[in-house]
């Protein structure tokens, strides 16, 4: 048996993960991250969020029921630098960040894992719906999708470095969500019926722009809205208020709906056009994190955002990154977004979008990124 830390967020998944490891006979230590002393400027922390005070209380109560030690660890500096600052700076650059992916890579599976190891733990478990298995003749670790397709969280783990996989466990990844709640109810855990957290934990109900404005007010200078021909058709109120694919808030005249097609931070301009202008045939991605051996070019399926299914594509070498060529054009992939690569249930890796190409535009990896 091993000595294992469990990242307890106060939710049902991490609570059941801890319970399952206790049942297996492991020595389990519960760890909950404290990522800020109060709500950051421009945010409104929810007490039920995965890092709110209410969540800490829920995690503590579950740990007491399971008879395991529980610690609250101060990771405020790491969260500020790798999640909140990154989130704000990406919007300043006209890019679309994914803070959950950043939190998993740099906070949970770097800083928290290091704390767990310093406490003498052999590994770190979480309530993510994903799986780590050993496959192949060489016993290589593999990251797999969770078995519940509606709850699979492998996408937000695709940038976790491969060398961390051997020290990670995802006890609920082989269970459907209904089974997880059933276990929690049978054990009498107080979080059995707790609602899943859906929103970014540090963003208020009013939207992310309040947070960015409070921390990066210079990003809200007005600028021109341009059509595809470069003609000024309106004024925007700060690039950080907009994302690719957005329609609302443009306040443009005309009978045909207009969408944000591009955010040009260098010119402090939005480029708008009709909905069909959002279609992209390829991507140039950088910072590729491979989790499985891949020989390029290679066929794969690619997920361009957490809430959409992955789609067929070909991965090709592209400068310092990878070119993704979709079989059919995809709507509104945005610069800065994370993409995950799959081969069936196997997660091949992940990367960040540097450029999205129009249908017919050749992507070579030599283009200038935003």
């Amino acid at each position: 048996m091993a000595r294992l830390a469990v990242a307890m967020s106060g939710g049902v998944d991490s609570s059941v993960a801890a319970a399952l490891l206790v049942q297996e006979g492991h020595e389990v230590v519960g760890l909950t991250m404290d990522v800020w002393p109060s709500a950051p400027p421009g945010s409104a922390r929810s007490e039920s969020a995965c890092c709110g005070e209410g969540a800490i209380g829920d995690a503590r109560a579950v740990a007491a029921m399971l008879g395991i030690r529980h610690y609250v660890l101060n990771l405020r500096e790491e969260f500020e630098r790798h999640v909140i600052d990154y989130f704000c700076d990406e919007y300043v650059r006209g890019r679309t960040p994914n803070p959950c992916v950043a939190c998993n890579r740099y906070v949970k599976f770097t800083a928290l894992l290091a704390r767990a190891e310093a406490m003498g733990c052999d590994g770190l478990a979480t309530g993510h719906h994903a799986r780590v298995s050993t496959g192949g003749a060489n016993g290589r670790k593999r990251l797999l999708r969770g078995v519940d397709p509606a709850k699979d969280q492998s996408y937000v783990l695709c940038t976790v470095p491969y060398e961390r996989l051997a020290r990670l466990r995802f006890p609920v990844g082989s269970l459907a969500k209904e089974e997880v709640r059933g276990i929690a109810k049978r054990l009498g855990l107080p979080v059995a019926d707790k609602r899943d957290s859906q929103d970014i934990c540090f963003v208020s109900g009013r939207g992310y722009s309040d947070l960015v404005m409070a921390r990066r007010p210079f990003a809200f200078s007005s600028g021109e809205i341009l059509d595809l021909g470069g003609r000024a058709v309106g004024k925007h109120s700060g690039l950080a208020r907009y994302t690719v694919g957005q329609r609302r808030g443009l306040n443009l005249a005309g009978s045909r709906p207009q969408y944000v097609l591009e955010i040009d931070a260098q010119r402090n301009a939005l480029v708008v056009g009709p909905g069909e202008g959002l279609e992209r045939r390829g991507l140039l991605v950088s910072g590729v994190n491979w989790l499985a051996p891949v020989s390029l070019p290679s066929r794969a399926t690619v997920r361009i955002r957490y809430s959409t299914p992955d789609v067929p594509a070909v991965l090709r070498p592209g400068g310092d990154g990878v070119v993704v060529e979709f079989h059919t054009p995809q709507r509104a992939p945005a610069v800065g977004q994370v993409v995950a690569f799959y081969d069936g249930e196997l997660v091949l890796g992940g990367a960040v979008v540097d450029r999205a190409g129009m249908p017919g535009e050749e992507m070579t990896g030599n283009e200038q990124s935003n």
Side-chain angles (χ1 to χ4, degrees), residues 98-311:
N98 191 307
C100 295
V101 173
C103 183
N104 283 321
R105 176 166 185 167
Y106 296 108
V107 184
K108 286 190 181 77
F109 299 125
T110 297
L112 186 62
L113 176 60
R115 297 284 190 93
E117 292 178 332
M119 296 171 69
C121 295
D122 302 309
L124 176 66
T126 72
H128 283 96
H129 281 261
R131 293 170 291 157
V132 173
S133 75
T134 302
N138 59 0
R140 183 182 174 89
K141 293 294 182 180
R142 304 186 304 165
L143 179 64
L144 306 177
R145 303 178 195 261
V147 299
D148 186 340
K151 294 296 181 180
D152 169 46
Q153 293 174 299
S154 60
Y155 170 86
V156 297
L157 301 174
C158 69
T159 67
V160 174
Y162 171 77
E163 59 269 20
R164 311 276 164 79
L165 293 185
R167 290 169 284 169
L168 303 184
R169 298 201 183 194
F170 306 121
V172 304
S174 58
L175 301 172
K177 184 72 178 198
E178 294 170 352
E179 293 178 284
V180 175
R181 291 201 181 275
I183 292 171
K185 290 177 181 178
R186 287 197 301 273
L187 295 175
L189 300 183
V191 296
D193 294 316
K194 187 174 180 179
R195 187 176 63 178
D196 291 343
S197 177
Q198 298 292 332
D199 301 319
I200 299 172
C201 64
F202 56 86
V203 171
S204 72
R206 292 175 295 176
Y208 69 87
S209 61
D210 288 341
L211 173 67
V212 181
M213 178 177 283
R215 289 167 172 259
R216 307 290 190 272
F218 57 85
F220 290 83
S221 59
S222 63
E224 291 186 330
I225 300 177
L226 309 175
D227 64 15
L228 287 171
R231 182 173 64 94
V233 294
K235 289 283 187 179
H236 67 75
S237 56
L239 295 183
R241 297 186 188 277
Y242 304 90
T243 57
V244 170
Q246 182 172 331
R247 175 183 172 186
R248 294 181 179 178
L250 295 175
N251 299 318
L252 300 176
S255 58
R256 192 175 187 189
Q258 299 290 296
Y259 298 82
V260 176
L261 304 184
E262 182 183 351
I263 299 174
D264 189 334
Q266 291 184 338
R267 292 190 293 170
N268 189 30
L270 293 179
V271 178
V272 300
E276 56 266 27
L278 292 169
E279 300 295 319
R280 298 290 184 268
R281 189 58 186 263
L283 305 174
L284 175 63
V285 302
S286 65
V288 182
N289 178 63
W290 293 116
L291 293 171
V294 175
S295 179
L296 301 180
S298 178
R299 296 184 182 275
T301 61
V302 177
R303 183 175 297 181
I304 64 173
R305 56 180 68 88
Y306 180 78
S307 59
T308 59
D310 38 311
V311 295

